[in-house]
Amino acid sequence: MPLIVMCGYPCSGKTRRAEELKDYFEGNTERKVHIVGDGALGVERNSVYADSQKEKNIRASLKAEVERKVNREDIVILDSLNYIKGYRYELFCLIKHSQTPHCLVYCLTSDEVSSTWNTNRDAAEQYTQDIFDALVLRFEAPDSRNRWDSPLFTILKDDTLPYDAISDALFKRKAPPPNQSTQSQPLSSANFLYELDKITQDVLMAIFNAQKTSVPGDLIPVPGATEKIELTRSINMAELRKLRRQFISYAKMHPTENTGQISNMFVQYLNKSLH
């Protein structure tokens, strides 16, 4: 079920808002609510955010935990900075693959307010000033014009959460449709790839050999295909191999259930590319 992505400066109230959302949905629905965040992973924030590789690993762990939690029944709230645009896009691809709605809750504060809230924390929970300043500087604010940042709910520090609107965004809106980049490709099996490699290589050799006795304008038959290559000019093997690589890349993303169609598909691709 739905994913709620929290976003904001360090110490901008994200965890408090995540808890408010958890209380609301548990009190008004029969769904379980899971909060996934830095706290659950025991993140030592100053150590992690001072080291780009450690930070990358933590983001990967959070994303993996979200992927494990997302199902048809529960609500997942990701309580972290989520300040990198590319990372929010990765989360969007994840929910497209899971075919579930999501929304972004942006806790908007000034850096002065967040800095004050940071210094008011217990020493063990504070960001150092250097780390705090660096994270604010790197922060990439969400933009509702980006599909991965939409629907976007921007919350100021004294605002009451728009529970009804968030609920509608999660439960009354269709999930974004999956696309080729987010769907698994079960047909890209070892057998499919073997057939793809063998058939396209056979077509190349048929064209290469036929050119020894053909002239431009001839139609060249190729094994396994009902359609023929329209030879409009001489084609060297280097060009043919380049076109074959391009076709294989395309075919891996658009596999066919009928491997018997590969020859015809490749012939059509070559005829189109060579004209």
Side-chain angles (χ1 to χ4, degrees):
M1 283 303 290
L3 171 66
I4 301 174
V5 178
M6 309 302 295
C7 180
Y9 284 167
C11 306
S12 58
K14 296 182 297 301
T15 297
R16 174 170 64 90
R17 298 301 194 175
E19 292 291 346
E20 289 175 357
L21 286 165
K22 183 176 187 290
D23 291 343
Y24 172 80
F25 284 114
E26 287 184 339
N28 291 274
T29 72
E30 296 182 356
R31 302 181 189 280
K32 291 182 180 178
V33 180
H34 304 281
I35 296 181
V36 175
D38 296 349
L41 296 181
V43 173
E44 206 295 295
R45 59 192 62 188
N46 289 309
S47 171
V48 165
Y49 291 113
D51 185 318
S52 60
Q53 187 57 51
K54 286 182 180 179
E55 184 182 348
K56 183 178 179 180
N57 292 341
I58 287 296
R59 287 199 301 271
S61 296
L62 289 170
K63 180 182 172 185
E65 186 64 19
V66 167
E67 193 165 14
R68 281 192 290 270
K69 296 287 188 186
V70 167
N71 59 46
R72 292 186 178 275
E73 302 298 329
D74 303 341
I75 297 170
V76 179
I77 302 174
L78 178 55
D79 176 24
S80 188
L81 294 173
N82 300 316
Y83 70 98
I84 298 173
K85 179 169 63 175
Y87 183 61
R88 297 196 298 268
Y89 177 73
E90 289 179 26
L91 294 169
F92 177 71
C93 290
L94 187 156
I95 63 102
K96 287 190 74 173
H97 178 72
S98 302
Q99 296 185 49
T100 186
H102 93 309
C103 72
L104 198 76
V105 175
Y106 177 26
C107 298
L108 177 59
T109 57
S110 67
D111 53 350
E112 291 87 356
V113 167
S114 288
S115 182
T116 299
W117 287 353
N118 181 49
T119 56
N120 289 339
R121 287 184 169 188
D122 293 339
E125 297 181 354
Q126 288 184 18
Y127 293 87
T128 66
Q129 195 60 48
D130 285 347
I131 295 297
F132 178 89
D133 291 342
L135 288 170
V136 168
L137 187 64
R138 297 203 298 265
F139 187 83
E140 296 177 333
D143 184 339
S144 61
R145 292 173 295 181
N146 298 327
R147 61 191 186 281
W148 56 88
D149 288 336
S150 179
L152 174 65
F153 298 93
T154 301
I155 313 299
L156 302 179
K157 65 184 182 70
D158 296 323
D159 286 350
T160 298
L161 283 169
Y163 296 111
D164 289 343
I166 292 174
S167 182
D168 287 349
L170 297 178
F171 302 119
K172 295 184 180 180
R173 191 171 61 92
K174 290 184 178 179
N179 55 28
Q180 289 296 139
S181 65
T182 59
Q183 284 184 299
S184 59
Q185 301 293 347
L187 293 170
S188 292
S189 62
N191 184 63
F192 172 76
L193 295 176
Y194 171 79
E195 291 296 326
L196 179 64
D197 182 78
K198 181 178 182 301
I199 291 169
T200 53
Q201 183 62 35
D202 288 347
V203 170
L204 249 60
M205 292 309 301
I207 297 171
F208 184 73
N209 290 328
Q211 286 189 109
K212 296 175 183 177
T213 57
S214 300
V215 296
D218 285 354
L219 295 177
I220 298 176
V222 296
T226 56
E227 299 191 34
K228 296 181 179 181
I229 293 290
E230 300 171 12
L231 190 66
T232 58
R233 58 183 172 83
S234 178
I235 314 158
N236 61 41
M237 185 56 79
E239 184 177 2
L240 287 171
R241 284 173 179 158
K242 179 181 177 182
L243 292 170
R244 175 175 176 263
R245 287 194 300 270
Q246 292 172 352
F247 175 77
I248 287 175
S249 295
Y250 171 83
K252 285 179 180 178
M253 291 298 297
H254 304 79
T256 174
E257 294 183 10
N258 184 2
T259 55
Q261 289 298 313
I262 292 176
S263 290
N264 275 331
M265 290 169 60
F266 190 32
V267 169
Q268 291 168 5
Y269 181 83
L270 289 173
N271 282 335
K272 186 176 180 180
S273 301
L274 293 171
H275 284 178

